[in-house]
Amino acid sequence: MSTLSKITLEALVFSGTGQVEVPGPNISFIEQPPFQVNVFDGKDYFLTCRLNLSFPGNVTQTVWFRGEHKVRAERDGTLKLSGNRNSAGVYRCLVNQTYLSTSSHVVYPVFQRDPLLDKSRTPVEGTSIILDCPFTSIPKANITWTFGDSGKISDNRFLKFSNGSLLIKNIKQSNSGRYTCKAENLYARKNKTHRQLTYEVTVKPTTNNSINNKHLLPRLQADVQYIPLGGTLRLQCDSQSSDGDVKIMWTLWRTENGRKVITPNNFVLENSNRSLIVGNLTNAHYGNYTCQNEYGEQTFQVLRQQKPIIKTPLKSIACILNAPINLTCEATGAPKPKITWFRNGQLLSNNYTMEINESSLLIQSFDINDEGIYQCFAQNSAGETQSLGELRLTENMKQKLDTLPKPLMNLKCSPIDIGAVNISFEAPSLVSIYIFF
């Protein structure tokens, strides 16, 4: 059995759980870049961010990042963007290498065709098919469908979704032919504002005459919808049948004290009750919307889209070495916000000394390298917000550390053979090393 070598470096360690809340830095952003910026050809755009750093002798240094890469800014810290596709991305500014702004999502108009494997469709008579309009468009394109050379689509068996796709239900052999999707984006590059794609649909005859076409189609939208106050709600629900005697009914309801309560409504129904539209949403319009016929039902939960709000702002704490520190940053919003953590402008992640669990950050044993400005960011599709705090050593601890030798730097340990190791390091002063076998 080999002998294990144990190396002990002489050091003075302070331990305990002492920490105290202290006043944080009186610093906040006066101006931050907007959450989303739409840029167009032929126009310049400017992003700005400013802190309330106004005390005498202060010098402000602002650096901009696009993703993880630095981008050149104006001398006053303003970022100038040209209206072209190269400007698209996510931007943040970092002030004095410490204070990070919320993100700004710069969007350039997009109008391109998505990959499509097959433009031919061969459905069986009596079934339903969905034809996608395969164009990605920012802003959203205006989409229309035609049948044949110029035929408009108005039959009850046709339904256009909010994303532009076309549903053909209970399809007949007479529905065979060419279906053309036409998309228009007036903000796209010149000569490319209109695009179209044509499907060839050939309906095969069926020998099954017992198909029940009155059941509801599979859900046509996500079961949870986030709509901002004052926005427009569009829901769609349909059955296989194109007959007028198959009625679709809609109800709005909530759960109060464990009971289902039907709520009066003023929504608009279109396409033989297959489409529900509510404009200028108020608080009274949020709840559960159920569409049903005698063969089934589907329920959509409609929630108010809300920007994140941080309910537990970060605190500033002075603590001693080796103390465990737990920072909390709880946020609300709809959809649920995603929390990210930064120290002195650098993104933090789990490691052997730090554990991050969404809204909490745990430092197992506080070290002098953990000092700095901490920021938590809460972001969802509606926006982003942040909170700021500082972790630092207590003044007494700093005074004690000033009396100690400086720590070893670049300490490395490598084996020489089964009974010996090599140790190398940099030390600003004489140190003692005790080796025990």
Side-chain angles (χ1 to χ4, degrees), residues 261-332:
V261 178
I262 304 297
T263 304
N265 59 76
N266 59 348
F267 41 70
V268 176
L269 299 177
E270 296 182 349
N271 298 320
S272 301
N273 289 9
R274 296 178 296 170
S275 299
L276 177 148
I277 302 175
V278 183
N280 193 24
L281 260 67
T282 66
N283 287 325
H285 293 122
Y286 296 100
N288 303 291
Y289 288 76
T290 297
C291 72
Q292 63 184 43
N293 65 8
E294 58 183 309
Y295 296 95
E297 66 177 41
Q298 294 172 359
T299 297
F300 302 89
Q301 186 179 21
V302 178
L303 302 176
R304 178 180 171 181
Q305 184 188 57
Q306 293 180 303
K307 295 180 180 180
I309 298 176
I310 294 178
K311 295 296 187 180
T312 55
L314 292 184
K315 299 177 180 180
S316 291
I317 299 173
C319 52
I320 63 175
L321 287 179
N322 291 352
I325 304 297
N326 191 12
L327 299 179
T328 302
C329 179
E330 294 182 353
T332 61

Side-chain angles (χ1 to χ4, degrees), residues 37-328:
V37 178
N38 296 313
V39 299
F40 303 102
D41 286 321
K43 185 178 180 181
D44 292 332
Y45 298 81
F46 297 89
L47 301 182
T48 59
C49 72
R50 292 187 299 135
L51 283 175
N52 61 342
L53 298 174
S54 57
F55 44 86
N58 173 70
V59 177
T60 300
Q61 180 187 19
T62 302
V63 178
W64 284 90
F65 290 86
R66 178 188 178 195
E68 298 179 354
H69 304 285
K70 288 184 181 181
V71 291
R72 185 176 179 180
E74 302 296 315
R75 182 169 296 180
D76 63 355
T78 300
L79 181 64
K80 179 181 179 180
L81 299 176
S82 300
N84 57 56
R85 67 177 66 250
N86 296 328
S87 296
V90 179
Y91 294 81
R92 291 182 188 268
C93 76
L94 179 65
V95 180
N96 290 358
Q97 301 181 339
T98 302
Y99 306 98
L100 194 66
S101 74
T102 53
S103 59
S104 183
H105 300 248
V106 176
V107 180
Y108 179 78
V110 175
F111 196 28
Q112 61 189 24
R113 176 176 162 177
D114 301 328
L116 185 67
L117 297 179
D118 190 3
K119 293 189 291 184
S120 299
R121 296 290 188 270
T122 55
V124 175
E125 187 174 18
T127 61
S128 299
I129 65 168
I130 294 177
L131 303 179
D132 295 322
C133 193
F135 299 105
T136 296
S137 179
I138 301 175
K140 185 178 179 180
N142 179 38
I143 294 176
T144 57
W145 286 86
T146 58
F147 174 58
D149 293 333
S150 60
K152 295 183 178 180
I153 295 177
S154 57
D155 194 295
N156 280 340
R157 63 171 51 93
F158 298 99
L159 178 64
K160 189 180 81 171
F161 297 157
S162 57
N163 67 355
S165 298
L166 180 69
L167 166 68
I168 310 175
K169 60 179 186 175
N170 191 21
I171 196 167
K172 306 295 183 183
Q173 286 190 283
S174 59
N175 297 132
S176 296
R178 290 183 292 112
Y179 291 81
T180 301
C181 158
K182 298 180 179 180
E184 178 186 54
N185 181 348
L186 297 179
Y187 292 97
R189 301 180 66 182
K190 295 180 180 179
N191 303 323
K192 292 187 178 180
T193 58
H194 294 74
R195 292 176 179 268
Q196 68 179 44
L197 180 135
T198 299
Y199 289 91
E200 278 292 340
V201 176
T202 304
V203 181
K204 296 180 178 181
T206 181
T207 57
N208 183 5
N209 297 320
S210 61
I211 297 177
N212 187 343
N213 290 324
K214 296 184 179 182
H215 288 91
L216 293 178
L217 290 167
R219 192 181 298 273
L220 304 177
Q221 292 168 272
D223 55 355
V224 179
Q225 300 284 317
Y226 296 97
I227 310 295
L229 195 67
T232 299
L233 169 67
R234 299 178 185 274
L235 296 176
Q236 293 172 313
C237 178
D238 205 353
S239 68
Q240 289 274 7
S241 175
S242 58
D243 298 334
D245 59 343
V246 180
K247 299 295 184 181
I248 299 290
M249 303 291 293
W250 290 87
T251 54
L252 167 60
W253 57 276
R254 296 185 181 88
T255 300
E256 298 180 4
N257 298 323
R259 299 177 58 188
K260 181 177 178 179
V261 178
I262 304 297
T263 304
N265 59 76
N266 59 348
F267 41 70
V268 176
L269 299 177
E270 296 182 349
N271 298 320
S272 301
N273 289 9
R274 296 178 296 170
S275 299
L276 177 148
I277 302 175
V278 183
N280 193 24
L281 260 67
T282 66
N283 287 325
H285 293 122
Y286 296 100
N288 303 291
Y289 288 76
T290 297
C291 72
Q292 63 184 43
N293 65 8
E294 58 183 309
Y295 296 95
E297 66 177 41
Q298 294 172 359
T299 297
F300 302 89
Q301 186 179 21
V302 178
L303 302 176
R304 178 180 171 181
Q305 184 188 57
Q306 293 180 303
K307 295 180 180 180
I309 298 176
I310 294 178
K311 295 296 187 180
T312 55
L314 292 184
K315 299 177 180 180
S316 291
I317 299 173
C319 52
I320 63 175
L321 287 179
N322 291 352
I325 304 297
N326 191 12
L327 299 179
T328 302

